[in-house]
Amino acid sequence: MEANPAPAPDSEQAWLEAAQTFIHETLCPAGSSPDVQLTQSVIDCVKTTWLSQGKNQGFPLPLSYSFVSVQDLKTHQNLPCCSHLSWSSSAYQAWAQEAGPNGTPLPRERLLLLGTLTDLSGDLEQESRKGDLYVKDNTGVLTCELIDLDLSWLGHLFLFPSWSYLPPARWNSSGEGHLELLSAPVPVCPSTTSPGPPSPLPVLYPETASRLLRHRGKLRGVQPNLAGKLVRVSALVRSQKKAHFVLSLGGGSSPAGSHVSIVVQIPAQLVWHRALWPGRSYVLTALRVVRIRGHCYRVWTTSPSSHLLPLKPECVRELELELDGPLLEADPAPLPTPSSSQDGDREPALIRHSTLLSYTGKVTGVLSQPAGLYEVDGQLALCLAYQQFHSLRKVVRPGVSLELQDVHLLQSVGGGTRRPVLAPCLHGAILLRGFSCQKPENQSFYQAQGASLFEQLVWERQLGLPLYLWATRALEELACKLCPHMLRHHQLLQHSSPGNPSLGLQLLAPVLDVLAPPGSTRRNAHKEILEEPHHCPLQKYTRLQTPCSFPTLTTLKEEGRCRAWAAFDPKTLLPLPESSHLTSCQLNQRVSWSWLSLLPATSHPAQILIGVLAASSHKGCLQLRDKSGSLPCLILAKHCQPITDSRFIGCLVRTEKFQLVIERNVRSNFPSYKELNMTGFIQKQQARVYIQFFLADALILPVPRPLLHSATSLTPQAEPTLPDGPHIEQSRLFLLSHKEALMKRNFCVPPGANPEVPKPILSFCVSGSWLGGTQRKEGTAWGPPEPKGDENKDQKVLLVFRGSSVRWFEFLHPGYVYRLVAPGPPTPLLFEEGGPSCIPQRALELAGCASCLTVQDEWTLELESGPDFPAGPDTSKALPKTSLDDLLSGNSSDSLVSFSAEILSRTLCDPLPAPFWAKPGGTRTSRASVKLTVAVEAADCQSRPHLDIYIKEPHLPPPLGLLPGARVYFSQLEKKISRCHNIYCCFRPSTYLQVLSFPPETTISAPLPHIFLAELLQGGRAPFQASASCHIVSVFSLQLLWVCAHCTSLCPQGRCTRQGSTCPTQTSVSQASIRLLVEDGTAEAVVTCRNHHVATALGLCPSEWTSLLESVRGPGKVALQFTGPGAQPESSAKVDEPLTLFLRTLCTSFSVLRPVVLSFELERKPSTVTPLEPPRLQRFQCGELTLLTRVNPKIRLSCLSIQEPKHPSSLGAFSLSC
């Protein structure tokens, strides 16, 4: 930028005329005539400075330079720049090289800047001085920084030969730039008169001044002068009332180490802070003694007539005082400083002490400018937050040299900070020792946010340094996670006040309240600076273990997916010896679906979930969203209570208690159990990741709607922003009675529409009843409902949600009252007609609804609550349930059932492979399904009957939350009866489910109930699974065989016997089954044991069982049939074969016929489809006596495990019958 066009090299006269005009307009008093003497002085000063470089190329004037005013800089110079009148090009190039390869040097402009150096920001009173430095001319003022200020310069006109100008950020229209004066200013009118040598000034040296503070008589009416070497200067502390700083003088005739502190708080003297240089000697005149409120010491302070002078030994003489008067009270011992809230009651060994030192270094990086965090010399971190560094915030950038006096060095602070940290408190000083030649990085608006919030963490929350460093890093992570798409930066990082809390501080408050409880005493600047020994928040600290982390949703999803697949082990899902008997189809089906739940505590550090709640208009599910992406979630308001209030949409959600669920789907072709550890047989793997949590465990923070510019495009808000004019809306209340499943449906095409067959779209329907007529918005409240024509008319309605309106699916639940809100001007009969019906009239009649209404995309839904409408029904009473008798009956009229159940297992049922003789591309296709085995809950039955529920297309993939251990309410499932007379249920379009509780975080397997077998024959509800102590009476049948792992055909000698094409693999697996007759003295049962349970039933150890199966591999199959006790067995092999003889002998030996503890389940799930067989009369012959008695039918059981009894008393009723 050039304020005025630069004249040509041969236009000295034009340059001089431009200079005269500039000087008159900018430097001369307003309204005065041109000052020829001032003009000549300015030109001479510029000429002298220009010629001082020695390489002026024969030009006596800097014709390539133009004059610039303060206003021109502020108005036209939008880019950082520098100007060096006394520098040659080579000197500038050498200076620019200091920027290094990663920095950009300030561009050089040829500008001449003149102005008055002052500590007044304008034509203001003296009391407005705050210690800042300005360059002033007729057009305005600019703040400036100068390394070595001479107080005699103030108020004089200078030429600034070398300076840098940094304009404000482009987004900061109200901000102002500042100047960096790189070299000493050149006076335009140098003073030619030097004052004569003054009379020696009487002074006190520090030792005498310190003693004088304790003499009462000598303090009255005395304003002595103090002289000494500057030992220390504190930070400049600004408060709402006044600003001050403290300097300490030592040396002189006093012993080494003694010093005296002087408080400077006169506004006109605050600029001294910029002129003081530690190690130099000074004289302070006209001092007085005061007692500072709240401080136990008397201290020296300046008076309005005080001056700061350089100490010249020939100009001072020591003042002799008689100090034999009465002494004041001795200095009391310093009050004990309360320990930091971060220290708490921890062990003393954990408390570390910082090191107080002085350090000089160069800033090499900016870690966080709003938080006051920088990098020094590439190795150390510098934290300036514990001082008020407002003036330095604009200056400090890479390349700046700083001298840190009395700075604290903290090592190994933890909390994610690995490098040592330098942190000055109010006791120390930050002294500027060199400016940077680098151009500052372009700082965006959001990068400059949060400075006041970070100050609040230090000055109000009183955080220790380790916790402060973690909090700043956490806030930056949150800003990167949520801003600017979900939140505005100033909304997240704004200063927190009682009426306007900061979202960022609210998100951190639960953690900070534990580590640093609020209510600790505020910092006292005078005590921190003056007290000896020194006490400040940086003196003691404890290493901080990182309390938590705030991962992005995408990171959380990817970490969960990676951990889930890392933990995926088919051998764990199918442990031996069970897996060794499964065929290839069974193996791959068993590993096709599994799940993993990860808790925040399993991560180090613990993870905290944060996101904006949204409702997906594409999938109909709830989601948490941040800038990185979205994550589906299943939310319950609390136990057994669904989320119903749509006002949560758009709110910021924070929770520390959640379950990260990963459902793993695997397509594999494992030939047998031996290859389970070979990942090459896995063809495809997918994972569905979502989150489960309770709203009661979460922190919900409403966000003002204007800030949700991205959420509005994804999910309409429940509380839209009101326009300037009157808000026009109409609504109607309805009571929801039933909700159907969310699935893709076909709808009727209205007359005149496109004749093409429409594609199924995601939708759902709800049925309910209107409550009153249409209401219109009146101000902020709803007006009275419009009268209806026929009060007795049926008000039942079917609402269809499709398109974007499926976003309301998770908020609609039976038994609640909702308000359907339609924006826009009033439309007659809007909620009565709603356009052409997409549901056939016959379907409406079957549903019992009088009308059908399609919910428009722009309509919103609100939960209605109030005295007339309770917040929700009692869940335990509101959910209709089918009685257990009707559920287990064979009555086909009750085909739709509802019940609550706990999910025991979930299995993916793959479609059966097509027969080998089937034609490829045939029309017959089979689809996969999901089978849920559930334990039905019934109030009148202690034992919970087990039931299978099948989910098929178009209900796949299943809804979120259907996991083993979860409690779910199922409504309107279709009850069916299998060919084996087992009852099972299937999903249908009208099915509604509600997750009542999540799977428990820790699974505790309850032992099976121990019963008598006769209890299974009683009229009450018998347990589906139990254990009993019984005796094996006889063996009915035994079968051992080897089958092809692919097609299950027999495999004698390990070769498949199936006719036709060859199987893909020649792998065979062994299978076994045995049927036993057991009794416990109360009843008899036929127990079927399979595979590895057969070895336990036969009493064989693993090696014996393996040898037996290898003996069967040759023939491929051995089957024995026992017709009754004492009868000869029927065998598929020759009777006299050694293997058959061995098995026959074994099955009739006491090694098998022995007492055992049997765990079992009913072979057929309980139902009343086929009534129990009544007891029958049976004749027994006991010697010559014939007995006729009623015998109960044999119970059919499936073995779960067989264990040997620990002691005879465990045999139960059997021990009594022996």
Side-chain angles (χ1 to χ4, degrees):
M1 184 215 78
E2 292 185 358
N4 298 307
D10 55 351
S11 303
E12 293 187 11
Q13 185 62 34
W15 187 91
L16 291 173
E17 291 177 358
Q20 293 174 0
T21 303
F22 172 82
I23 295 169
H24 175 68
E25 295 177 353
T26 307
L27 303 179
C28 293
S32 63
S33 59
D35 191 334
V36 178
Q37 183 178 0
L38 177 61
T39 302
Q40 188 61 42
S41 298
V42 170
I43 294 176
D44 290 343
C45 181
V46 172
K47 183 176 180 180
T48 302
T49 306
W50 164 252
L51 296 176
S52 65
Q53 65 173 320
K55 295 182 180 180
N56 48 37
Q57 299 177 357
F59 294 101
L61 293 174
L63 301 182
S64 60
Y65 281 77
S66 59
F67 290 90
V68 63
S69 67
V70 169
Q71 185 61 34
D72 289 336
L73 279 178
K74 296 167 66 173
T75 305
H76 303 293
Q77 186 63 42
N78 299 320
L79 297 176
C81 68
C82 66
S83 179
H84 305 281
L85 178 63
S86 59
W87 286 16
S88 63
S89 298
S90 58
Y92 169 75
Q93 293 296 334
W95 179 72
Q97 291 293 330
E98 298 178 6
N102 298 326
T104 303
L106 287 166
R108 185 178 185 179
E109 298 286 349
R110 299 182 180 274
L111 301 173
L112 297 174
L113 178 66
L114 294 99
T116 302
L117 203 60
T118 178
D119 60 339
L120 282 171
S121 58
D123 297 329
L124 302 175
E125 298 295 333
Q126 298 290 323
E127 294 297 327
S128 66
R129 295 177 173 177
K130 299 180 180 179
D132 294 325
L133 205 58
Y134 303 92
V135 170
K136 177 182 177 182
D137 63 12
N138 293 345
T139 64
V141 294
L142 266 178
T143 59
C144 68
E145 292 292 336
L146 185 61
I147 292 179
D148 192 4
L149 173 67
D150 189 335
L151 294 178
S152 63
W153 295 346
L154 296 178
H156 294 280
L157 181 63
F158 288 94
L159 167 68
F160 304 102
S162 183
W163 51 272
S164 301
Y165 174 70
L166 304 181
R170 294 184 177 181
W171 50 263
N172 189 6
S173 59
S174 61
E176 292 188 355
H178 74 283
L179 288 166
E180 296 176 351
L181 305 181
L182 306 181
S183 63
V186 179
V188 173
C189 302
S191 177
T192 57
T193 61
S194 58
S199 59
L201 192 66
V203 297
L204 296 176
Y205 287 102
E207 181 185 13
T208 307
S210 179
R211 294 171 54 198
L212 186 60
L213 291 175
R214 301 177 56 187
H215 285 74
R216 186 186 305 273
K218 299 295 182 179
L219 296 177
R220 294 190 181 98
V222 177
Q223 285 191 340
N225 309 315
L226 265 63
K229 181 185 292 185
L230 182 65
V231 177
R232 180 188 305 121
V233 60
S234 75
L236 179 60
V237 182
R238 293 184 173 97
S239 63
Q240 295 180 353
K241 296 181 179 180
K242 59 175 59 179
H244 72 276
F245 69 92
V246 179
L247 60 91
S248 298
L249 295 180
S253 60
S254 60
S258 64
H259 62 272
V260 63
S261 298
I262 304 168
V263 178
V264 180
Q265 55 188 358
I266 305 299
Q269 300 167 1
L270 296 178
V271 73
W272 294 0
H273 194 269
R274 299 175 174 274
L276 293 170
W277 196 288
R280 296 180 181 177
S281 298
Y282 298 94
V283 175
L284 281 82
T285 65
L287 301 183
R288 55 180 178 166
V289 176
V290 297
R291 180 189 290 274
I292 299 177
R293 180 181 302 177
H295 190 62
C296 56
Y297 300 107
R298 287 175 172 81
V299 295
W300 290 101
T301 183
T302 59
S303 64
S305 59
S306 298
H307 292 87
L308 176 66
L309 305 173
L311 176 59
K312 299 178 180 180
E314 67 275 7
C315 297
V316 297
R317 63 178 177 84
E318 185 173 2
L319 180 63
E320 299 292 339
L321 292 177
E322 297 293 336
L323 299 180
D324 52 358
L327 292 177
L328 297 176
E329 65 277 7
D331 292 340
L335 297 176
T337 302
S339 60
S340 172
S341 58
Q342 186 182 354
D343 296 337
D345 298 329
R346 302 183 183 179
E347 294 294 331
L350 299 179
I351 298 178
R352 304 186 180 192
H353 294 264
S354 62
T355 303
L356 203 61
L357 50 83
S358 295
Y359 185 87
T360 301
K362 182 175 290 187
V363 177
T364 54
V366 179
L367 304 179
S368 174
Q369 186 184 34
L373 299 177
Y374 303 89
E375 180 189 71
V376 177
D377 294 337
Q379 297 178 345
L380 302 174
L382 173 62
C383 177
L384 304 180
Y386 289 82
Q387 279 198 7
Q388 298 171 337
F389 65 107
H390 304 87
S391 60
L392 284 178
R393 196 188 300 272
K394 299 178 181 180
V395 180
V396 178
R397 63 184 186 275
V400 169
S401 297
L402 297 176
E403 180 181 348
L404 307 173
Q405 291 284 334
D406 292 337
V407 64
H408 293 267
L409 174 64
L410 295 84
Q411 304 187 58
S412 186
V413 297
T417 302
R418 299 182 178 180
R419 65 180 78 190
V421 182
L422 293 172
C425 65
L426 298 178
H427 184 73
I430 308 170
L431 305 176
L432 193 61
R433 291 295 178 254
F435 291 105
S436 173
C437 65
Q438 293 189 30
K439 182 180 178 181
E441 296 181 359
N442 293 327
Q443 191 178 33
S444 61
F445 172 74
Y446 74 88
Q447 289 176 323
Q449 300 300 309
S452 59
L453 177 60
F454 293 130
E455 292 179 6
Q456 190 175 14
L457 294 177
V458 172
W459 297 94
E460 295 184 18
R461 289 303 302 256
Q462 303 292 315
L463 298 188
L465 181 65
L467 189 55
Y468 173 76
L469 295 177
W470 174 83
T472 57
R473 185 178 297 105
L475 287 172
E476 291 176 357
E477 290 179 1
L478 292 176
C480 295
K481 174 183 172 68
L482 300 172
C483 304
H485 301 296
M486 302 294 152
L487 299 173
R488 301 294 190 191
H489 284 85
H490 66 85
Q491 174 72 14
L492 179 70
L493 302 176
Q494 69 179 0
H495 182 85
S496 185
S497 59
N500 190 19
S502 167
L503 286 177
L505 192 56
Q506 291 183 78
L507 294 175
L508 294 186
V511 178
L512 299 182
D513 290 345
V514 174
L515 299 177
S520 57
T521 57
R522 298 175 66 90
R523 292 172 66 182
N524 187 310
H526 287 103
K527 287 186 176 181
E528 189 168 320
I529 297 173
L530 295 173
E531 272 192 353
E532 295 292 345
H534 173 62
H535 292 287
C536 74
L538 300 173
Q539 187 178 19
K540 296 181 181 180
Y541 67 99
T542 55
R543 178 178 173 82
L544 178 68
Q545 298 294 330
T546 304
C548 59
S549 63
F550 303 95
T552 63
L553 297 179
T554 299
T555 301
L556 195 66
K557 182 191 301 184
E558 293 303 321
E559 287 182 358
R561 184 181 284 112
C562 293
R563 292 178 61 181
W565 290 121
F568 177 70
D569 185 6
K571 288 191 172 182
T572 304
L573 299 175
L574 298 173
L576 288 171
E578 177 187 9
S579 60
S580 62
H581 302 283
L582 299 179
T583 63
S584 176
C585 180
Q586 292 172 328
L587 275 174
N588 294 312
Q589 181 177 334
R590 295 280 289 275
V591 302
S592 60
W593 183 88
S594 59
W595 71 291
L596 181 67
S597 176
L598 299 177
L599 301 178
T602 60
S603 301
H604 300 287
Q607 295 174 331
I608 294 182
L609 180 66
I610 292 181
V612 175
L613 184 63
S616 173
S617 58
H618 303 289
K619 299 181 180 180
C621 65
L622 294 178
Q623 294 177 336
L624 282 180
R625 291 176 178 168
D626 63 11
K627 194 169 67 173
S628 68
S630 62
L631 195 57
C633 56
L634 177 62
I635 306 175
L636 296 181
K638 55 184 180 181
H639 188 70
C640 295
Q641 182 175 336
I643 181 173
T644 56
D645 196 345
S646 60
R647 290 178 298 178
F648 290 124
I649 293 180
C651 290
L652 196 58
V653 179
R654 177 197 186 277
T655 179
E656 301 179 18
K657 298 181 180 180
F658 63 91
Q659 293 181 353
L660 182 64
V661 178
I662 304 97
E663 296 184 11
R664 299 174 294 211
N665 292 278
V666 175
R667 183 192 300 169
S668 60
N669 58 351
F670 291 108
S672 67
Y673 74 97
K674 297 178 181 179
E675 292 81 14
L676 285 179
N677 59 345
M678 300 182 183
T679 58
F681 291 100
I682 298 178
Q683 298 173 330
K684 185 179 180 180
Q685 57 185 26
Q686 292 179 334
R688 181 165 73 161
V689 185
Y690 57 94
I691 291 173
Q692 301 181 149
F693 64 92
F694 291 99
L695 276 183
D697 297 332
L699 176 65
I700 310 297
L701 301 176
V703 179
R705 293 299 181 256
L707 301 179
L708 294 174
H709 57 91
S710 64
T712 53
S713 62
L714 301 171
T715 57
Q717 304 303 312
E719 294 181 358
T721 306
L722 297 178
D724 297 336
H727 196 46
I728 302 176
E729 287 180 337
Q730 54 185 336
S731 67
R732 195 170 184 183
L733 296 175
F734 71 94
L735 173 64
L736 194 150
S737 58
H738 179 70
K739 181 175 75 169
E740 297 188 357
L742 179 66
M743 54 180 287
K744 289 189 175 181
R745 287 178 169 85
N746 288 317
F747 290 96
C748 296
V749 180
N754 192 342
E756 295 182 1
V757 179
K759 296 181 179 180
I761 61 174
L762 192 66
S763 61
F764 69 97
C765 304
V766 300
S767 58
S769 302
W770 293 119
L771 301 179
T774 302
Q775 297 175 268
R776 289 183 171 83
K777 198 81 169 184
E778 296 181 356
T780 58
W782 292 104
E786 296 179 353
K788 301 182 293 295
D790 186 1
E791 295 291 341
N792 298 324
K793 185 179 179 181
D794 191 1
Q795 294 294 309
K796 292 186 178 180
V797 64
L798 183 69
L799 300 179
V800 178
F801 294 79
R802 59 179 181 175
S804 297
S805 62
V806 298
R807 64 186 180 274
W808 306 114
F809 179 78
E810 292 294 339
F811 296 99
L812 291 167
H813 297 279
Y816 290 86
V817 177
Y818 296 91
R819 182 181 295 276
L820 196 60
V821 181
T827 304
L829 304 178
L830 176 64
F831 297 111
E832 280 76 8
E833 297 178 0
S837 175
C838 56
I839 304 296
Q841 186 63 32
R842 177 58 179 165
L844 290 177
E845 294 176 357
L846 293 176
C849 297
S851 61
C852 172
L853 177 65
T854 300
V855 177
Q856 304 301 315
D857 293 346
E858 67 273 12
W859 293 2
T860 59
L861 204 67
E862 299 175 3
L863 177 68
E864 190 67 18
S865 60
D868 299 330
F869 308 103
D874 184 1
T875 308
S876 60
K877 300 179 181 179
L879 300 177
K881 298 180 182 179
T882 305
S883 66
L884 204 56
D885 293 334
D886 294 339
L887 178 63
L888 301 180
S889 68
N891 187 0
S892 59
S893 61
D894 300 329
S895 60
L896 296 181
V897 295
S898 303
F899 54 85
S900 298
E902 178 186 351
I903 300 179
L904 301 178
S905 65
R906 172 173 164 177
T907 309
L908 181 62
C909 302
D910 291 330
L912 295 175
F916 291 99
W917 58 84
K919 295 181 180 180
T923 58
R924 181 181 177 182
T925 59
S926 57
R927 297 181 178 179
S929 62
V930 173
K931 183 181 75 171
L932 303 177
T933 300
V934 302
V936 181
E937 299 176 353
D940 56 346
C941 180
Q942 294 182 353
S943 61
R944 302 181 301 174
H946 292 195
L947 202 64
D948 290 337
I949 301 175
Y950 290 89
I951 307 175
K952 302 179 180 180
E953 291 284 359
H955 301 282
L956 295 178
L960 304 181
L962 298 184
L963 304 172
R967 292 180 58 249
V968 183
Y969 169 72
F970 299 94
S971 176
Q972 293 198 11
L973 288 172
E974 184 178 7
K975 183 179 72 174
K976 293 187 177 183
I977 302 174
S978 68
R979 288 175 294 180
C980 300
H981 304 291
N982 278 328
I983 293 178
Y984 65 97
C985 296
C986 293
F987 269 50
R988 64 191 312 270
S990 63
T991 299
Y992 157 75
L993 66 85
Q994 174 184 328
V995 176
L996 301 177
S997 65
F998 304 134
E1001 296 180 357
T1002 56
T1003 304
I1004 301 177
S1005 57
L1008 296 176
H1010 200 80
I1011 64 171
F1012 296 118
L1013 295 178
E1015 297 181 35
L1016 301 176
L1017 300 171
Q1018 295 176 358
R1021 301 278 186 247
F1024 179 67
Q1025 293 180 340
S1027 63
S1029 299
C1030 53
H1031 191 278
I1032 300 178
V1033 179
S1034 62
V1035 177
F1036 281 165
S1037 64
L1038 173 65
Q1039 179 175 268
L1040 304 174
L1041 69 161
W1042 286 84
V1043 297
C1044 176
H1046 182 74
C1047 66
T1048 68
S1049 300
L1050 278 180
C1051 285
Q1053 302 295 334
R1055 294 189 297 270
C1056 179
T1057 58
R1058 182 182 58 81
Q1059 300 294 327
S1061 58
T1062 307
C1063 290
T1065 60
Q1066 293 295 323
T1067 304
S1068 57
V1069 295
S1070 61
Q1071 293 184 345
S1073 65
I1074 188 172
R1075 296 176 68 239
L1076 307 172
L1077 176 65
V1078 301
E1079 60 96 9
D1080 67 346
T1082 64
E1084 292 180 332
V1086 177
V1087 182
T1088 301
C1089 304
R1090 301 186 184 279
N1091 297 329
H1092 62 284
H1093 295 308
V1094 176
T1096 310
L1098 296 177
L1100 301 178
C1101 67
S1103 59
E1104 294 171 338
W1105 174 246
T1106 302
S1107 300
L1108 176 61
L1109 292 178
E1110 289 299 323
S1111 302
V1112 180
R1113 186 186 291 271
K1117 178 180 180 180
V1118 174
L1120 284 80
Q1121 186 72 30
F1122 297 84
T1123 56
Q1128 292 295 327
E1130 298 178 1
S1131 174
S1132 61
K1134 295 182 180 180
V1135 179
D1136 56 348
E1137 285 186 355
L1139 181 59
T1140 305
L1141 293 176
F1142 168 74
L1143 292 176
R1144 183 184 64 182
T1145 304
L1146 179 63
C1147 291
T1148 56
S1149 68
F1150 289 107
S1151 298
V1152 176
L1153 309 180
R1154 68 191 190 278
V1156 294
V1157 177
L1158 177 69
S1159 297
F1160 59 86
E1161 67 178 10
L1162 300 179
E1163 194 171 80
R1164 186 166 59 85
K1165 291 182 173 63
S1167 68
T1168 57
V1169 177
T1170 56
L1172 293 176
E1173 182 181 349
R1176 66 182 186 277
L1177 288 174
Q1178 186 171 347
R1179 190 183 303 275
F1180 292 91
Q1181 191 71 29
C1182 185
E1184 297 180 357
L1185 183 62
T1186 302
L1187 301 177
L1188 188 66
T1189 184
R1190 293 184 180 274
V1191 178
N1192 289 320
K1194 295 182 177 63
I1195 309 167
R1196 297 187 179 275
L1197 306 175
S1198 294
C1199 174
L1200 298 177
S1201 68
I1202 296 178
Q1203 297 177 349
E1204 303 300 327
K1206 296 181 180 180
H1207 45 79
S1209 61
S1210 64
L1211 297 180
F1214 174 75
S1215 62
L1216 301 177
S1217 63
C1218 295

